[in-house]
C-alpha cells in the first residue's frame, strides 16, 4: 500500500501504462545542408502554421546515410525546433547519430526499409524535403456502452459511438463523428479539431448543446426539435442543420 | 463473502442516514451479521438515528489512528444482536479519514465474518463521500423526486463508475440500485413532483424501491429507532420490501400509486 496518502488524498493509482498509436509526420532528409533544410521547413510550416505549430516530428536520416552524407544531429534538432516543430524521434540513424539523439532525449526508432526508386529519389532530391503524407481520416472509434453521467467527460480522437444515454451535465467530444443510441441530454461536440464534415447522429436529441467544428447551438435554440426521433446534425455554410433520419 | 454497500446520493437531506439505518437493521433482522459505518465525520448523525448516541466512546477516526481497536469502537445495537454500529467522529473533519485506514477497517470487518457492511456516505462528492463509496460492491443511490436531487445522483453514479476501486482495478462495476425516497403519489399527480418513470428515464437505473413521504420517518429518527422497526408505517414496510428485494425475494413495488381510501390498503405492482 502506498504510504504517501497525505499527498494524494484520493489515493488513485499514480500511473498507468496504455498503448496507443498516433500518426506522426516523418521528415525524410535528402540533404545535409542545414541552412537549406531550415529554409524549406519554414516555407512548409508557413503554408499551414496552425497545423504545424508544436507538431511532433520524426526525422529520418536513412537516405543520407545511404549516400554517406553525415549530418550534425544536434544542429538538425535545433533547426527543426526553430521551425516550430518538436522533434520526437530519429529513424534510420547510425550508431553515433543515435547516441547523440539519445543524449538529446530524442527516442530512436528502427528504420523501415523505404523503397525509393533511383528516379524517385532523383526527383525528390530537387524537392529536398518530403514529409510523408499525413493521414487526415482517423479510423479509430471509441465505443461506450455504459451511461455517461453528469460531470463525466469523454474525448475520442476519432469517432465516438455511445450505446447508452448521455446525461445532462455530461460532455462528449470527438474529433470525428458522434453517434448516440440513447437519450442525448448533455453536451455533444463533434469535429473538435476543426473537421467541418463531422456529424452528430442521435436517436433522441435533448442536448444542452451541440457543436460541430466550433459552430454550436444551445438547447434554447432547439426548442422545436422533437425528441425521441432519429436525427442527424451537420454543418452547412457555418450553420448547424438538424434533420430527421427517415 | 462480505458485501460492502454504500448508501449515497450526492445531495444532502434526501434520506441517506435513514436508509442506512433501516437497511442495516433489515439485514440484521434477517439474521445476517451486519455493520453500519458513519462516514460523515464532523456531522455525526447515524448514532442518533440508531439510538446509540449515549454509548459512543471511540469512533472511526480513533480506529484509523490506532487509538482504539475496532472491537472497542463497534457498538452493538440494542434491538438486534447481529447489528453493529461504527460511529463517525464529531470533533474531526473528513480529512482525518484515509483510504488505507478505511480499507483496513473493512478488511478487518470482513475477517470478523460480517455479511453486510453498510457505508453511510456524507453528502457531497468530496473526500468523505469518496471513501464511503471507494470499496463498495453495491451502491444504493438515494434520490428524491426532484430535479436537483436527480442530477446530483447522476453525478454520483458517474463517480461510482469511474473513481471506485472496482473501476480503477477494472473489476466488475459496482451494482447500482435506485431508492426513491420521500415519494408522494398525490404530488406527482398534480405535477409537483417527478414520477418514478421520469426519474428512471433520466437515471436509467434499476429501481430497488420507493419509500413514501411519511411522518413515521421523523418520529423514528427522533426516537432513535430505525423506521424499519415500525411495522405499521408505510415507510417501514417499504424498507422491509427493499431489503427483501435486495436479498433476492420477488416483491411487487408498492407506494407508487395513490392509495384508494376505504379499501384496505390497495397495493399496486409497478409493471
Amino acid at each position: 500500500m502506498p504510504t504517501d496518502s497525505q499527498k494524494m488524498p484520493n489515493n488513485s493509482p499514480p500511473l498507468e501504462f496504455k498503448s496507443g498509436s498516433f500518426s506522426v509526420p516523418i521528415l525524410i532528409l535528402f540533404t545535409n545542408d542545414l541552412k537549406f533544410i531550415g529554409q524549406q521547413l519554414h516555407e512548409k510550416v508557413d503554408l499551414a502554421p496552425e497545423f504545424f505549430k508544436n507538431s511532433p516530428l520524426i526525422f529520418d536520416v536513412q537516405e543520407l546515410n545511404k549516400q554517406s552524407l553525415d549530418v550534425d544531429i544536434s544542429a538538425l534538432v535545433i533547426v527543426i525546433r526553430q521551425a516550430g516543430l518538436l522533434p520526437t524521434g530519429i529513424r534510420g540513424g547510425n550508431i553515433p547519430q543515435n547516441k547523440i539523439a539519445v543524449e538529446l532525449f530524442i527516442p530512436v526508432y528502427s528504420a523501415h526499409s523505404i523503397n525509393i526508386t533511383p528516379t524517385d529519389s532523383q526527383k525528390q532530391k530537387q524537392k529536398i524535403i518530403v514529409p510523408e503524407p499525413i493521414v487526415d481520416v482517423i479510423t479509430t472509434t471509441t465505443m461506450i456502452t455504459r451511461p455517461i453521467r453528469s460531470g463525466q467527460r469523454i474525448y475520442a480522437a476519432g469517432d465516438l459511438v455511445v450505446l447508452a444515454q448521455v446525461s445532462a451535465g455530461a460532455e462528449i467530444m470527438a474529433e470525428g463523428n458522434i453517434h448516440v443510441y440513447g437519450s442525448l441530454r448533455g453536451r455533444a461536440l463533434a469535429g473538435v479539431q476543426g473537421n467541418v464534415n463531422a456529424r452528430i447522429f442521435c436517436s433522441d436529441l435533448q442536448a444542452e448543446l451541440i457543436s460541430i467544428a466550433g459552430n454550436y447551438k444551445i438547447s434554447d435554440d432547439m426548442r422545436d426539435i422533437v425528441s425521441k426521433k432519429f436525427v442527424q446534425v451537420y454543418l452547412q455554410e457555418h450553420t448547424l442543420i438538424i434533420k430527421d433520419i427517415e | 463473502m462480505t458485501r460492502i454497500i454504500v448508501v449515497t446520493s450526492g445531495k444532502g437531506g434526501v434520506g441517506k442516514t435513514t436508509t442506512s439505518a433501516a437497511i442495516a437493521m433489515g439485514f440484521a433482522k434477517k439474521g445476517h451479521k451486519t455493520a453500519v459505518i458513519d462516514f460523515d465525520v464532523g456531522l455525526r448523525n447515524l448514532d442518533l438515528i440508531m439510538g446509540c448516541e449515549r454509548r459512543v466512546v471511540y469512533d472511526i477516526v480513533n480506529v484509523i489512528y490506532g487509538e482504539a481497536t475496532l472491537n472497542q469502537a463497534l457498538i452493538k445495537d440494542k434491538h438486534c444482536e447481529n447489528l453493529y454500529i461504527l460511529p463517525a467522529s464529531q470533533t474531526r473533519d473528513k480529512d482525518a479519514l484515509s483510504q488505507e485506514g478505511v480499507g483496513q477497517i473493512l478488511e478487518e470487518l470482513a475477517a470478523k465474518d460480517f455479511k453486510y457492511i453498510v457505508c453511510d456516505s456524507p453528502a457531497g462528492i468530496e473526500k468523505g463521500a469518496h471513501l464511503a463509496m471507494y470499496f463498495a460492491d453495491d451502491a444504493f443511490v438515494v434520490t428524491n423526486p426532484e430535479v436537483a436531487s436527480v442530477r446530483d445522483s447522476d453525478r454520483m453514479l458517474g463517480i461510482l463508475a469511474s473513481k471506485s476501486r472496482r473501476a480503477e482495478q477494472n473489476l466488475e462495476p459496482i451494482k447500482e440500485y435506485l431508492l426513491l425516497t420521500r415519494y408522494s403519489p398525490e404530488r406527482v399527480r398534480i405535477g409537483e413532483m417527478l414520477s418514478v418513470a421520469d426519474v428512471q428515464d433520466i437515471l436509467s437505473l434499476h429501481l430497488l424501491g420507493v419509500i413514501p413521504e411519511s411522518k413515521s420517518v421523523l418520529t423514528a429518527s427522533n426516537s432513535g429507532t430505525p423506521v424499519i422497526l415500525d411495522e405499521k408505517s408505510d415507510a417501514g414496510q417499504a424498507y422491509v420490501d427493499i431489503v427483501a428485494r435486495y436479498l433476492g425475494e420477488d416483491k411487487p413495488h408498492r407506494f407508487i400509486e395513490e392509495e384508494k381510501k376505504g379499501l384496505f390498503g390497495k397495493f399496486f405492482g409497478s409493471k
Side-chain angles (χ1 to χ4, degrees):
Chain A
M1 289 285 266
T3 49
D4 54 348
S5 56
Q6 294 304 315
K7 272 180 254 164
M8 286 182 300
N10 289 345
N11 246 356
S12 46
L15 46 79
E16 185 178 5
F17 281 104
K18 282 197 169 160
S19 75
S21 54
F22 302 89
S23 82
V24 176
I26 296 172
L27 178 71
I28 300 170
L29 298 174
F30 297 96
T31 177
N32 60 353
D33 182 346
L34 290 173
K35 208 174 152 194
F36 197 30
I37 291 172
Q39 214 178 336
Q40 292 279 311
L41 271 179
H42 277 287
E43 276 175 30
K44 272 277 178 223
V45 169
D46 286 345
L47 290 177
E50 277 309 303
F51 182 82
F52 282 111
K53 194 181 170 191
N54 293 335
S55 166
L57 184 83
I58 293 174
F59 53 90
D60 187 319
V61 293
Q62 189 167 245
E63 282 303 305
L64 296 182
N65 287 333
K66 270 188 197 165
Q67 297 164 41
S68 311
L69 291 170
D70 197 22
V71 64
D72 182 349
I73 297 296
S74 40
L76 175 63
V77 165
I78 293 166
V79 166
I80 294 171
R81 288 209 175 116
Q82 277 169 347
L85 298 159
L86 301 175
T88 52
I90 179 170
R91 201 169 79 166
N94 55 31
I95 292 162
Q97 285 171 337
N98 289 348
K99 194 167 164 262
I100 298 168
V102 170
E103 279 165 9
L104 294 167
F105 304 110
I106 289 179
V108 174
Y109 292 94
S110 64
H112 298 275
S113 60
I114 302 162
N115 297 318
I116 299 170
T117 57
T119 46
D120 272 354
S121 128
Q122 214 58 32
K123 264 188 225 157
Q124 277 160 339
K125 250 183 206 165
Q126 286 157 8
K127 282 164 75 191
I128 310 296
I129 296 157
V130 184
E132 276 195 357
I134 293 152
V135 185
D136 63 349
V137 182
I138 300 164
T139 47
T140 49
T141 299
T142 306
M143 180 95 80
I144 308 280
T145 54
R146 286 173 62 85
I148 302 171
R149 302 291 184 179
S150 190
Q152 289 188 304
R153 298 178 90 190
I154 303 286
Y155 189 96
D159 282 4
L160 176 64
V161 178
V162 182
L163 298 175
Q165 65 169 11
V166 178
S167 293
E171 193 167 61
I172 55 174
M173 288 172 283
E175 289 176 21
N177 305 304
I178 291 178
H179 305 252
V180 181
Y181 301 100
S183 298
L184 171 56
R185 300 196 179 94
R187 294 162 166 242
L189 297 90
V192 284
Q193 295 290 338
N195 182 359
V196 292
N197 295 317
R199 293 187 180 206
I200 298 170
F201 305 90
C202 174
S203 62
D204 179 17
L205 181 65
Q206 305 176 35
E208 290 169 344
L209 180 144
I210 49 172
S211 159
I212 292 172
N215 300 274
Y216 68 90
K217 263 190 172 151
I218 54 173
S219 61
D220 235 20
D221 307 331
M222 297 187 279
R223 282 170 186 273
D224 49 345
I225 303 300
V226 185
S227 61
K228 307 231 154 102
K229 253 174 122 177
F230 256 106
V231 292
Q232 62 161 324
V233 184
Y234 58 94
L235 204 53
Q236 201 170 63
E237 283 157 9
H238 302 288
T239 309
L240 283 187
I241 311 285
I242 303 172
K243 220 175 182 174
D244 289 0
I245 299 176
E246 299 303 330
Chain B
M1 267 300 279
T2 309
R3 211 68 195 162
I4 301 170
I5 300 165
V6 61
V7 178
T8 187
S9 69
K11 197 172 177 296
V14 296
K16 284 181 296 296
T17 302
T18 300
T19 299
S20 300
I23 61 162
M25 181 63 79
F27 292 140
K29 293 274 277 182
K30 289 256 183 191
H32 302 292
K33 195 175 175 190
T34 305
V36 56
I37 306 176
D38 191 351
F39 276 83
D40 206 347
V41 176
L43 291 167
R44 183 174 92 195
N45 282 152
L46 182 70
D47 54 324
L48 289 171
I49 311 289
M50 300 293 301
C52 65
E53 74 277 12
R54 290 162 185 273
R55 291 187 287 147
V56 176
V57 182
Y58 296 111
D59 55 54
I60 185 169
V61 175
N62 294 133
V63 179
I64 286 176
Y65 283 82
E67 295 153 2
T69 65
L70 186 56
N71 275 338
Q72 286 174 306
L74 281 175
I75 302 170
K76 194 172 186 174
D77 186 77
K78 60 188 174 199
H79 302 285
C80 187
E81 59 172 13
N82 290 322
L83 181 58
Y84 292 82
I85 299 121
L86 181 57
S89 172
Q90 183 70 346
T91 53
R92 308 294 287 269
D93 60 36
K94 266 83 175 169
D95 292 328
L97 296 172
S98 70
Q99 184 166 297
E100 221 179 352
V102 171
Q104 272 168 11
I105 287 176
L106 294 173
E107 260 173 47
E108 213 176 309
L109 287 171
K112 287 178 191 294
D113 285 332
F114 277 91
K115 182 77 174 56
Y116 294 105
I117 303 171
V118 178
C119 301
D120 180 22
S121 172
I125 52 173
E126 282 76 37
K127 192 168 186 184
H130 179 88
L131 289 176
M133 70 89 196
Y134 183 77
F135 296 97
D137 301 305
D138 299 306
F140 286 14
V141 178
V142 181
T143 306
N144 286 171
E146 50 101 9
V147 286
S149 173
V150 171
R151 175 172 291 187
D152 290 359
S153 292
D154 194 52
R155 178 84 171 97
M156 201 62 222
L157 286 162
I159 293 170
L160 291 170
S162 57
K163 304 258 174 77
S164 62
R165 181 185 63 96
R166 283 176 172 268
E168 285 178 359
Q169 297 179 4
N170 268 329
L171 303 170
E172 196 188 320
I174 293 178
K175 278 209 184 85
E176 301 153 343
Y177 301 91
L178 175 64
L179 270 74
L180 205 53
T181 52
R182 309 196 67 168
Y183 194 73
S184 164
E186 293 83 359
R187 296 187 65 189
V188 172
R189 177 169 51 82
I190 54 176
E192 286 181 359
M193 208 177 242
L194 294 177
S195 70
V196 174
D198 292 337
V199 177
Q200 276 201 283
D201 184 42
I202 299 171
L203 292 179
S204 51
L205 209 57
H206 177 76
L207 180 71
L208 193 60
V210 173
I211 296 100
E213 172 79 69
S214 169
K215 284 179 188 154
S216 57
V217 172
L218 193 63
T219 317
S221 296
N222 287 337
S223 67
T225 27
V227 68
I228 197 168
L229 294 175
D230 184 355
E231 282 160 15
K232 286 193 205 96
S233 80
D234 44 2
Q237 290 171 20
Y239 279 117
V240 171
D241 283 6
I242 281 168
V243 168
R245 256 180 233 125
Y246 174 78
L247 295 174
E249 287 175 45
D250 191 19
K251 291 251 179 188
H253 282 287
R254 301 197 262 169
F255 313 111
I256 292 177
E257 308 284 339
E258 278 182 73
E259 260 180 64
K260 300 268 193 320
K261 277 186 185 148
L263 290 172
F264 49 98
K266 203 171 177 187
F267 302 134
F268 290 75
S270 71
K271 282 167 200 167

